[in-house]
Amino acid sequence: MSHISRLAGLGFLFLFSNSLIADQIPNKIKIGILSKYSPDTIHIIAKGSRIQYSGKNSLEKDKTISIRAEEDQIRIIDGANNSRSEHILFSGGEYKLEVPKDQTPKKYRGDLEISSLKGKLKLILTVPLEEYVGIGMASEFGDLFYPKEEKNPNSNWKKEYSIAASAMIRSYALANLGRHSKEGHDLCDLTHCLQFSGKLKKENINFSPSKKILLQNKSGKVLETFFHSTCGGNLSSPSVLWKNFKNPQYYRSGSDTNGRDIQCKNSPYFSWETFISKEELESALETKQITELDPKYSESRVISLEYKDYSGKKNIQASEFLSKIGKKLGWNKTKSNDFKIETSARGFYFKGKGFGHGIGLCQYGAREMAFRGTKSEEILRFYFPGAELRQIP
């Protein structure tokens, strides 16, 4: 859900009902990693890790191992040793993981368990909750801490923004804890859950929050803290995307102004335009002879589209429409569900605002509030009115 690819939530952000009470805060989180690759082979360099497999148990200062999936077992090539096992466990170390499809090593630390399922490797990394929060914040908010230019921002803006950003990651993760329980872990490392890039870089460590905040509803349940890159000046309720969403009153709806101009007006994604030809649209929607395309709105955002093709009028939900366009034409083709459409002889012009679903915290808007000297608690209360802010140890 970071500010670059956070069209997730339009079609790819699924609701997950969870009754976690804020008192039940786990110390660690299990993440399914390398989800993007689903590798059948990896090369791992482990440092300072205890390694256990097939009855072996040793503490290794520096170890290089290759692992290959073989149905529901793994092949472990450890120097001259070549053996099969159901799993291998690396405890308390740092790792570089190399996958055939990517030349850049992926860096992690924590406890790593590797097994195989139907010929694909299954990698589960266990890390302390606050380490996960820090990595998630760097993955989802990282570039926003390095603005290209800003005139005279408040000297404490990074401190306040990091507290608000970490509250987003912490609360969202805990509200969705166990989303992948059938697969043996809590969350994945993609925008389906939260982007998780691995071991923190040195420059990211400077932004560890000085205060740990958890957002919860009046019943004490952790709030699902949606966030997006840029609202374009228009925030909407979760019920715009999900009709049966419970407790939409905790999310601000309407104009994203706080006594001044639109707060995210300086975002590079504030407005956008794109053109989709009739041939491209017909290919994405798998139909023929489209002549009309009319959006339907709720809270100034598109909730569905009506189109006319060779067989008559059809209706499609906005989330499904954007998903089909993204898969066929690229995920940045239509950046949000806030747009108008103009029809031409060749196709359709989209004129839109913002980047993402417009629900919850606007990353660029919240940063603008921090620039002005707004405290983290005020930022959170602005975007999540009525939510209770609980400070945790």
Side-chain angles (χ1 to χ4, degrees):
M1 292 183 67
S2 78
H3 74 287
I4 298 300
S5 61
R6 299 343 157 208
L7 212 43
L10 292 174
F12 333 108
L13 219 154
F14 305 95
L15 285 181
F16 182 85
S17 177
N18 195 304
S19 57
L20 178 73
I21 302 299
D23 288 332
Q24 304 168 348
I25 300 174
N27 292 321
K28 295 185 176 183
I29 286 185
K30 291 184 176 182
I31 311 111
I33 62 171
L34 301 186
S35 309
K36 175 182 176 181
Y37 303 97
S38 297
D40 52 22
T41 303
I42 62 165
H43 186 69
I44 183 168
I45 302 171
K47 293 182 180 294
S49 177
R50 181 169 292 281
I51 304 175
Q52 302 173 62
Y53 70 94
S54 300
K56 298 180 180 180
N57 187 333
S58 61
L59 182 63
E60 302 289 347
K61 183 178 180 181
D62 201 331
K63 192 75 169 177
T64 299
I65 295 177
S66 293
I67 301 171
R68 184 174 71 244
E70 294 184 353
E71 292 303 321
D72 290 338
Q73 288 197 322
I74 55 175
R75 173 73 60 183
I76 302 169
I77 302 171
D78 179 0
N81 297 320
N82 187 322
S83 61
R84 294 185 75 189
S85 178
E86 290 186 355
H87 69 276
I88 183 170
L89 177 64
F90 300 83
S91 303
E94 296 190 355
Y95 321 103
K96 285 184 181 180
L97 274 59
E98 299 174 353
V99 296
K101 297 179 182 179
D102 194 330
Q103 299 299 315
T104 306
K106 311 300 176 187
K107 298 180 180 181
Y108 300 93
R109 70 179 179 187
D111 297 335
L112 177 62
E113 183 177 5
I114 304 174
S115 58
S116 176
L117 180 64
K118 298 179 180 179
K120 296 292 183 182
L121 292 175
K122 183 178 177 181
L123 298 95
I124 299 176
L125 182 72
T126 302
V127 297
L129 171 62
E130 288 306 315
E131 184 168 335
Y132 174 84
V133 171
I135 295 170
M137 183 174 69
S139 303
E140 296 279 8
F141 287 77
D143 291 347
L144 286 143
F145 285 99
Y146 303 93
K148 292 182 179 179
E149 56 181 74
E150 177 60 29
K151 296 180 180 179
N152 302 317
N154 183 276
S155 59
N156 288 324
W157 79 266
K158 286 187 178 181
K159 172 187 173 183
E160 300 300 333
Y161 192 52
S162 68
I163 294 171
S166 65
M168 293 295 95
I169 303 298
R170 185 180 299 106
S171 302
Y172 189 87
L174 292 178
N176 286 279
L177 204 63
R179 195 174 196 176
H180 290 270
S181 58
K182 291 182 179 179
E183 299 149 75
H185 53 276
D186 295 309
L187 303 167
C188 71
D189 59 349
L190 302 177
T191 54
H192 172 259
C193 292
L194 286 168
Q195 193 81 2
F196 182 86
S197 58
K199 182 183 173 184
L200 281 175
K201 297 178 181 179
K202 288 182 179 179
E203 59 265 29
N204 298 130
I205 298 173
N206 296 329
F207 301 133
S208 65
S210 58
K211 194 182 298 181
K212 301 173 186 176
I213 293 178
L214 194 63
L215 281 78
Q216 57 189 54
N217 64 21
K218 300 297 184 183
S219 301
K221 294 179 181 178
V222 179
L223 196 65
E224 197 166 12
T225 46
F226 301 111
F227 57 91
H228 56 280
S229 165
T230 307
C231 70
N234 176 37
L235 295 161
S236 62
S237 163
S239 55
V240 168
L241 276 181
W242 309 293
K243 292 181 180 179
N244 299 319
F245 188 87
K246 296 180 180 179
N247 300 321
Q249 69 271 20
Y250 293 107
Y251 305 83
R252 180 171 290 279
S253 175
S255 177
D256 183 17
T257 57
N258 192 16
R260 302 188 187 184
D261 296 331
I262 293 172
Q263 296 182 137
C264 62
K265 67 177 183 178
N266 293 324
S267 166
Y269 313 108
F270 182 72
S271 63
W272 54 271
E273 294 185 12
T274 194
F275 177 78
I276 300 177
S277 70
K278 288 185 177 180
E279 292 76 16
E280 288 175 325
L281 187 61
E282 289 165 0
S283 176
L285 299 184
E286 300 177 312
T287 188
K288 298 177 181 179
Q289 300 174 18
I290 292 180
T291 57
E292 297 176 9
L293 184 63
D294 297 313
K296 307 300 178 184
Y297 298 91
S298 175
E299 297 184 31
S300 300
R301 288 190 176 264
V302 179
I303 56 170
S304 65
L305 298 97
E306 185 179 87
Y307 64 94
K308 186 177 181 181
D309 63 10
Y310 72 99
S311 63
K313 289 191 174 183
K314 308 281 180 61
N315 193 279
I316 184 172
Q317 292 299 303
S319 57
E320 183 182 359
F321 175 83
L322 292 165
S323 179
K324 286 179 178 291
I325 295 296
K327 289 176 181 177
K328 196 71 178 181
L329 305 178
W331 296 112
N332 288 340
K333 189 69 172 178
T334 47
K335 292 181 171 62
S336 73
N337 57 345
D338 184 354
F339 55 79
K340 308 290 184 185
I341 300 176
E342 295 179 5
T343 304
S344 75
R346 294 176 48 245
F348 305 91
Y349 288 95
F350 288 68
K351 294 184 178 181
K353 293 187 294 183
F355 197 174
H357 48 55
I359 300 170
L361 181 136
C362 171
Q363 290 177 307
Y364 275 89
R367 190 181 70 171
E368 180 62 29
M369 294 180 76
F371 281 162
R372 298 174 188 167
T374 308
K375 297 292 185 182
S376 55
E377 289 91 341
E378 294 177 63
I379 295 172
L380 295 172
R381 289 193 177 101
F382 176 81
Y383 287 105
F384 300 93
E388 294 184 353
L389 308 185
R390 177 186 171 193
Q391 188 168 341
I392 61 175

